[in-house]
Amino acid sequence: MSAENYAELAQKMRAEFKKNDDERDAGLPTKVAGVKRFDNIVYGEDEKFNLLDVYLPEDHSDFTPVIVNVHGGGWVYGTKETYQFYCLFLAQHGFAVVNANYRLAPSVVFPQELNDINRVFHWLEVNASKYYLDLNNVFVVGDSEVPHNC
């Protein structure tokens, strides 16, 4: 597959997935009781894609177990915004959540996306005390979407 065809396929897949995600998430709240949000924190050199959000339970008084969310999309689609509802739910149940964007193919070539995720963990290590994140209790979640009709 040529680079041009790959880019075209990625754009088509992004449009299809985004349409479905937007329909699914229509009307869901972006602020929920009991959760503090810190949005669009830069964790790397790419100020457009190397952004993360931190969600914290409001009632935490000590270091909190952390879940790092790696959004799905087969490395070519997805955003932290698509997964904010899931992450807010986790924060409502007592977890600190780090929800990050990363650069997407075909703008970068694999494993550059993983390099971005690695940067998220370096950010976590440096900033844990600022957000009361318990580095002895870090969990990673994620998923992936596979194109069906693209």
Side-chain angles (χ1 to χ4, degrees), residues 1-73:
M1 175 182 296
S2 73
E4 185 176 292
N5 288 344
Y6 181 64
E8 185 178 317
L9 178 62
Q11 289 299 332
K12 185 176 180 183
M13 186 181 92
R14 287 178 186 154
E16 179 80 18
F17 284 5
K18 180 160 180 22
K19 177 179 174 268
N20 292 334
D21 287 343
D22 288 349
E23 287 175 7
R24 179 197 64 211
D25 298 339
L28 291 175
T30 58
K31 295 181 181 179
V32 297
V35 176
K36 291 188 283 189
R37 292 182 69 134
F38 301 89
D39 294 334
N40 296 319
I41 301 165
V42 177
Y43 72 85
E45 294 178 9
D46 190 314
E47 293 183 4
K48 179 180 177 186
F49 287 102
N50 293 156
L51 300 173
L52 60 80
D53 299 340
V54 175
Y55 309 108
L56 297 174
E58 282 184 345
D59 62 357
H60 80 283
S61 59
D62 201 359
F63 283 82
T64 306
V66 184
I67 297 175
V68 176
N69 181 62
V70 180
H71 72 71

Side-chain angles (χ1 to χ4, degrees), residues 60-145:
H60 80 283
S61 59
D62 201 359
F63 283 82
T64 306
V66 184
I67 297 175
V68 176
N69 181 62
V70 180
H71 72 71
W75 305 122
V76 297
Y77 169 76
T79 67
K80 61 186 176 59
E81 287 74 24
T82 302
Y83 289 81
Q84 67 184 317
F85 311 107
Y86 170 61
C87 294
L88 288 165
F89 174 82
L90 294 171
Q92 280 184 307
H93 287 83
F95 292 94
V97 182
V98 175
N99 184 27
N101 279 342
Y102 51 82
R103 294 171 297 160
L104 302 171
S107 297
V108 296
V109 176
F110 187 85
Q112 292 301 310
E113 302 92 338
L114 290 178
N115 291 340
D116 285 355
I117 301 303
N118 188 43
R119 286 183 191 93
V120 170
F121 284 95
H122 285 283
W123 178 92
L124 177 62
E125 183 178 29
V126 170
N127 292 280
S129 62
K130 178 179 179 180
Y131 296 96
Y132 294 94
L133 306 176
D134 182 357
L135 294 182
N136 291 313
N137 289 289
V138 177
F139 307 89
V140 181
V141 299
D143 71 340
S144 187
E145 298 181 41

